[in-house]
Amino acid sequence: MWFHNLQELRHSASLANKVFIQRDYSEGTTCKFQTKFPSELETRIERSLFEDTVKTLNNYYAEAEKIGGQSYLEGCLACATAYLIFLCMETRYEKVLKKIAKYIQEQNEKIYAPRGLLITDPIERGMRVIEISIYEDRGSSGSSSSSSSVSGSTTR
Amino acid sequence: MHLGVSESMRECEYSQISTRSSTPMETPYKKKTPKRRKWESFPGRNKFYCDGRIMMAKQTGVFYLTLVLILATCGLFFTFDCPFLALQLTPIIPVIGGVLFLFVLGSLLRTSFSDPGVLPRATPDEAADLERQIDVANGSTGYRPPPRTKEVVINGQTVKLKYCFTCKIFRPPRASHCSLCDNCVERFDHHCPWVGNCVGRRNYRFFYMFILSLSFLTIFIFAFVITHIILRSHHSGFLNALKDSPASVLEVVVCFFSVWSIVGLSGFHTYLISSNQTTNEDIKGSWSSKRGKDNYNPYSYGNIFTNCCAALCGPLPPSLIDRRGFIQSDAPQMAPPTNGITMYGATQSQQSHMAATTPLLQQQTSEPVILTASPENGILSGRTALSLGGPCTSLPLGQPTPPTSTPSLSCHEVVDMLPIHTHTHSHAHTHPHPHNHTHPLQDPMAHHHFLTPEEVPSPPGMLPCGSPMGHSPTVQAGFYNPASQDSLHEDSVRGLVKLSSV
């Protein structure tokens, strides 16, 4: 049941279910995800680990969208150079997105894949949701979670 | 419409269940086999050029008109007026003119060619998950349609998030669905035919810089052409001056009428930016104090300076649609639960569009479609307000109004009106301008179509009716495949199931 890397997860497990963490709009249109722990993950991962991941992601996004001295400088510089500067330079948002991708990769490898879970980067879902795929081990006779029992049986 | 259907079908063909897929983290940057790029199967009604680098709306005729007017007027200015002015006054005049002209052109092209902030449509799994949540919330009792709104409290103000039937998502606050481009756009301002694109989160600052610099340019040209004529008439009399430089007359006429409209528009948008509102919100009066004492704008930062800086110098978010990425066989998808189909059939209001196409089912369509018609009354008043007020009024283009004025319109009637709807859509922007102005050149950059571009809220059938239209004959004749991953097929399948359950 324990997978040592993501490839192994793919090859030997079948997708049982997907959980979608929706956006939290209580602070406006800035990118923030709900930290509510979904019930489907209760048996799979500790609440604190999950919350840490989501909180860190939220912090990254807040950093990307922060309006302050540095972003003004970047904006004015870009305007002054007719935005040609972005041919050589990355925007701050893009830099933070790269950091996020690396963070998610690392979290998947260290924490989620060993538990049969996989996080999809929100940018691939239009920043609407954090998609967490729940895998069932094909090898074992496996206890399936109740919500996935129907789909589980159809995939087998 | 049909194009949108076939494109979304094509898109679905690529998301196959794959047991040997690559990790979702890696996107293939090297082309091993000729792979298609994502823009080629984009479900919205946009046009792409330069292999996906340029993105515009479907109707671009007016954009070319804008371009021609700017180029022609400036061309005439530089050819006929500048030599005289440079000699008589100072050569700095053509230099400043040139800089302004380049700035205007740059910001125009940037506004027109960039992604306004389109939200990609929900993947089938996401859509299914949302449906499940909505059904759970409602208890799936009988045929009562689920309310497709969600309320959220933002900075103390209650905001309603609407469900988009086309994109199958709950729209984020301030997002809106553009019926012309058939996309949900973040922080939707309006669809501007002059610029040939929607104006949204990612290109609003470019749009603002365009109209601001264009105001300066038109005032500049106007002032210096007048100066030119005056100086010439000192030498040789007024009429001779006009004869010597006939282009100046044309320029004066164009600029005179442009100045009023463009400067007015710039002023309006300056007001919008300083109060952190979108055109959409202003027209609907979402945050006006007339709606209630406690009604305030939750997005405003409180002071004008911060609002302006946030809108113009804030960070530029990346495009969410990744148009130049390659389409890859997706990560394994869940097989749609077979029990879900009958469950959907019971509560689905979307399937009513399928029912609409067969006269047999007409009696069914009467109840479910009425939906959240009542909360949309605010929209109705907003739409009528569209024809009044505002410095740049839009035409109350016929297409959204007929369905909303009769919220109890059932889907089959809407479907009948649909050809008219699409017909007026395509004509809406090509001919109303000559109607609007007696002289086409009078307001060349003038009126923006502030379309409240929400898809018609109460009869959800409007867009969902449209998209499977081309589908219905095949499905009715066709096969029932519960494991199909085509979401349109699923809708049709649900309709068939509902038919059989009656």
Side-chain angles (χ1 to χ4, degrees), chain B residues 460-471:
Chain B
M462 214 52 198
L463 287 167
C465 270
S467 38
M469 276 297 279
H471 242 17

Side-chain angles (χ1 to χ4, degrees), chain A residues 15 18 25 71 105 108 124 128, chain B residues 24-25 120 125-126 154 172 332:
Chain A
L15 184 62
K18 285 189 187 182
Y25 293 116
S71 73
Q105 172 97 356
N108 271 334
E124 293 181 30
R128 287 186 304 265
Chain B
M25 304 300 160
D125 294 327
E126 271 181 73
I154 299 177

Side-chain angles (χ1 to χ4, degrees), chain A residues 6-7 10-11 15-20 22-31 34 40 64-68 71-76 79 82-84 86 91-94 97 101 104-105 108 118-129 131 133 135 138 147 150-151 154-155, chain B residues 18-27 103 110 119-123 125-127 129-130 132-133 150 152-156 161 169-174 186 201 205-206 209 299 301 305-306 309-310 312-320 328 330-339:
Chain A
L6 299 171
Q7 292 294 73
R10 279 265 143 39
H11 289 234
L15 184 62
N17 201 1
K18 285 189 187 182
V19 182
F20 296 97
Q22 300 285 341
R23 284 269 292 267
D24 175 9
Y25 293 116
S26 59
E27 285 175 23
T29 51
T30 51
C31 186
Q34 292 178 356
E40 291 92 338
E65 294 184 6
K66 193 168 70 124
I67 301 174
S71 73
Y72 290 154
L73 203 63
E74 196 185 42
C76 293
C79 183
Y83 291 86
L84 293 170
F86 292 135
T91 64
R92 197 165 66 132
Y93 212 112
E94 283 166 2
L97 286 178
I104 289 181
Q105 172 97 356
N108 271 334
L118 201 67
I119 301 182
T120 305
D121 195 335
I123 193 80
E124 293 181 30
R125 296 288 179 263
M127 306 280 261
R128 287 186 304 265
V129 288
E131 184 181 298
S133 314
Y135 286 89
R138 259 185 215 159
S147 54
V150 175
S151 50
T154 52
T155 50
Chain B
S18 149
T19 50
R20 271 188 310 112
S21 64
S22 53
T23 61
M25 304 300 160
E26 299 157 20
T27 43
F103 196 78
R110 187 88 199 203
L119 288 168
R121 298 195 182 180
T123 56
D125 294 327
E126 271 181 73
D129 187 66
L130 268 180
R132 245 192 312 254
Q133 282 179 20
K150 202 160 54 164
V152 108
V153 178
I154 299 177
N155 289 334
L161 301 185
I169 56 171
F170 273 99
R171 281 185 219 129
R174 310 192 99 176
E186 277 188 295
R201 186 177 175 205
R205 71 192 67 188
F206 305 124
M209 292 200 292
Y299 310 109
Y301 292 93
F305 184 67
T306 319
C309 288
L312 302 175
C313 309
L316 190 64
S319 171
L320 296 173
Q328 43 177 335
D330 215 350
Q333 293 222 344
M334 299 190 293
T338 47
N339 61 354

Side-chain angles (χ1 to χ4, degrees), chain B residues 189-330:
Chain B
D189 196 83
H190 65 284
H191 181 100
C192 183
W194 296 102
V195 148
N197 207 354
C198 289
V199 177
R201 186 177 175 205
R202 294 187 76 247
N203 63 356
Y204 186 59
R205 71 192 67 188
F206 305 124
F207 174 74
Y208 182 71
M209 292 200 292
F210 166 60
I211 54 176
L212 198 63
S213 52
L214 191 61
S215 318
F216 289 132
L217 184 66
T218 44
I219 293 174
F220 182 84
I221 292 181
F222 186 66
F224 282 105
V225 167
I226 300 268
T227 311
H228 173 208
I229 292 180
I230 290 175
L231 288 176
R232 244 191 225 269
S233 54
H234 283 327
H235 287 204
S236 47
F238 184 65
L239 286 171
N240 284 333
L242 291 181
K243 249 196 303 183
D244 290 335
S245 162
S248 306
V249 181
L250 183 66
E251 288 169 55
V252 164
V253 166
V254 168
C255 288
F256 180 71
F257 293 107
S258 310
V259 160
W260 297 114
S261 39
I262 301 289
V263 171
L265 194 61
S266 307
F268 176 60
H269 277 280
T270 308
Y271 157 71
L272 286 182
I273 284 183
S274 60
S275 59
N276 202 332
Q277 284 186 80
T278 62
T279 307
N280 211 11
E281 286 165 357
D282 186 70
I283 286 185
K284 285 199 273 182
S286 309
W287 313 123
S288 105
S289 48
K290 291 181 199 156
R291 278 214 182 181
K293 262 196 225 166
D294 292 329
N295 205 26
Y296 60 90
N297 184 358
Y299 310 109
S300 171
Y301 292 93
N303 91 61
I304 292 179
F305 184 67
T306 319
N307 283 338
C308 292
C309 288
L312 302 175
C313 309
L316 190 64
S319 171
L320 296 173
I321 54 177
D322 186 27
R323 33 197 207 276
R324 284 180 46 81
F326 290 104
I327 298 170
Q328 43 177 335
S329 46
D330 215 350

